[in-house]
Amino acid sequence: MKVHGVFLVAVFFYLTHTQLVKGQFQPHEGCQTRCGEVEIKYPFGISSGCYYPGDDNFNITCKEDRPRIGYIEVQNFYPNGQIQVLLNPTINCEGKQNISSNDFTLGNYSISTNNKLTLVGCNALAILVTSGNKLYATVCISACESPTAADAKCDGEGCCTTDISDELNNYLVEVGSTRLQLSNQTSSVHHFDPCVYSFLVEEGKFNFSCPEDLKNLRNGKRFPVVLDWSIGNKTCEEVGNKSICGGNSTCFTSNNRTGYICTCNDGYDGNPYLSNEHRCQDINECTSGKHNCPYRATCSNKVGGFDCKCKSGHRVKLKTLDGL
């Protein structure tokens, strides 16, 4: 009876806790892998035993079919060390004497350099300030006295944008804005630009549209922002376990954060943190169209890559670097 009881305890532990397989922590069977229309990808997971153990930053709450980390909604999970979240813009309708700001507590996440600080509004300034492991601040300024042309770009007239020049490994991010009183300003802009909007947005995910955005920016729409993440607080070498990543994948130490990430090797696709059928597996470049074989060549798939073979009667024509 004693042995039988120990066996049952062992089975219970196996079914309710994350498993250790070949040096990797693995989610147990039966974990929920979707929240609404969003796929939850390990090391993230819903409920204990389904996300990377010991780090609640990977614990996802599924509320109203929307995945959340804390109060922040997640749109996409990427196994390459990034997630896409939705953040609200800062809206300032109070005039030049007032500074409006939004604070975002990110926990163990970082603002990626794939984002832009963006401002929509005339005669205004937007500022991004972070605090935590490293202080950082950047601004952009927009000026105009009348609505810009319908095909105007976000280049400083009615709209401005600036790069995030460093990985922001900080737990508190503040985005703010204020009106400016320019010396050459002759009239008020409030009749066509009642509010100023400042926000972070993933690069390529916002196209300025005037005069609609000056009047009412997308009806207060939230914007996609990319956050970086990593596992643990040790480098790949410090972990000292060559099996810490799944098969056909490689461990990389995070450049601007503590910890590491895993990435599928070239020619493979999947989840580098898993050891099951969803792990990194060979891509058939020939059937998926992910090859660059010339028109008169036949694509032949091989493990981790592909070959191009000329058809009978043809040969490869080589070009020098200068195209001659």
Side-chain angles (χ1 to χ4, degrees):
M1 293 296 292
K2 183 177 181 180
V3 174
H4 181 66
V6 172
F7 175 78
L8 290 178
V9 170
V11 170
F12 178 79
F13 184 86
Y14 175 86
L15 294 175
T16 58
H17 291 77
T18 305
Q19 307 166 43
L20 183 64
V21 179
K22 294 183 179 180
Q24 289 181 286
F25 289 103
Q26 299 287 289
H28 67 64
E29 297 294 331
C31 288
Q32 181 179 342
T33 58
R34 299 196 70 85
C35 179
E37 298 181 355
V38 180
E39 182 181 359
I40 311 299
K41 298 179 180 179
Y42 187 80
F44 296 89
I46 301 172
S47 74
S48 178
C50 295
Y51 61 89
Y52 193 83
D55 192 342
D56 287 340
N57 288 284
F58 295 112
N59 185 13
I60 301 301
T61 301
C62 185
K63 185 177 181 181
E64 298 176 350
D65 284 339
R66 295 180 179 182
R68 301 177 186 273
I69 296 175
Y71 63 91
I72 297 177
E73 182 178 340
V74 184
Q75 276 203 312
N76 284 298
F77 296 87
Y78 307 125
N80 65 343
Q82 294 184 324
I83 59 173
Q84 184 189 64
V85 302
L86 293 175
L87 296 181
N88 291 316
T90 299
I91 304 174
N92 185 344
C93 303
E94 303 300 326
K96 66 179 184 299
Q97 300 300 324
N98 179 270
I99 298 177
S100 297
S101 65
N102 275 345
D103 296 338
F104 304 101
T105 303
L106 300 181
N108 194 33
Y109 295 91
S110 303
I111 298 293
S112 170
T113 55
N114 293 342
N115 301 295
K116 299 274 191 180
L117 172 65
T118 304
L119 169 74
V120 172
C122 290
N123 310 330
L125 173 147
I127 183 170
L128 166 70
V129 180
T130 72
S131 58
N133 297 329
K134 181 179 179 181
L135 297 179
Y136 178 87
T138 189
V139 301
C140 75
I141 297 176
S142 169
C144 52
E145 289 189 337
S146 60
T148 57
D151 59 350
K153 297 181 179 179
C154 193
D155 57 4
E157 185 177 2
C159 178
C160 70
T161 185
T162 188
D163 293 336
I164 307 299
S165 61
D166 197 4
E167 298 285 345
L168 305 185
N169 189 12
N170 295 325
Y171 58 82
L172 183 62
V173 175
E174 183 175 1
V175 178
S177 62
T178 187
R179 291 280 192 183
L180 300 175
Q181 181 66 49
L182 303 182
S183 59
N184 61 346
Q185 185 176 346
T186 59
S187 61
S188 172
V189 298
H190 285 272
H191 62 287
F192 67 86
D193 178 31
C195 298
V196 174
Y197 306 87
S198 57
F199 51 93
L200 287 167
V201 62
E202 182 179 355
E203 186 172 4
K205 298 296 185 180
F206 173 73
N207 293 312
F208 178 53
S209 177
C210 188
E212 291 84 1
D213 284 340
L214 286 177
K215 194 71 174 179
N216 185 8
L217 177 66
R218 313 293 164 91
N219 296 313
K221 173 184 175 181
R222 294 176 296 169
F223 292 95
V225 176
V226 177
L227 302 183
D228 291 333
W229 56 266
S230 59
I231 290 182
N233 56 7
K234 295 182 179 180
T235 66
C236 297
E237 291 74 17
E238 289 172 339
V239 172
N241 186 343
K242 294 183 179 180
S243 300
I244 197 66
C245 297
N248 306 318
S249 64
T250 304
C251 180
F252 289 94
T253 298
S254 179
N255 291 327
N256 297 288
R257 298 173 46 80
T258 59
Y260 66 89
I261 61 172
C262 298
T263 302
C264 290
N265 296 336
D266 291 342
Y268 295 85
D269 191 27
N271 191 323
Y273 301 95
L274 294 176
S275 297
N276 57 20
E277 67 275 11
H278 300 294
R279 67 187 186 278
C280 297
Q281 301 192 51
D282 176 58
I283 300 172
N284 189 328
E285 290 86 355
C286 301
T287 58
S288 63
K290 296 181 179 180
H291 65 86
N292 57 355
C293 293
Y295 173 69
R296 291 185 174 88
T298 300
C299 177
S300 176
N301 185 63
K302 66 179 183 179
V303 177
F306 63 95
D307 287 325
C308 298
K309 297 181 179 179
C310 288
K311 296 181 179 179
S312 178
H314 298 274
R315 63 184 177 87
V316 176
K317 183 178 180 181
L318 300 177
K319 292 184 179 181
T320 61
L321 292 178
D322 58 7
L324 298 176

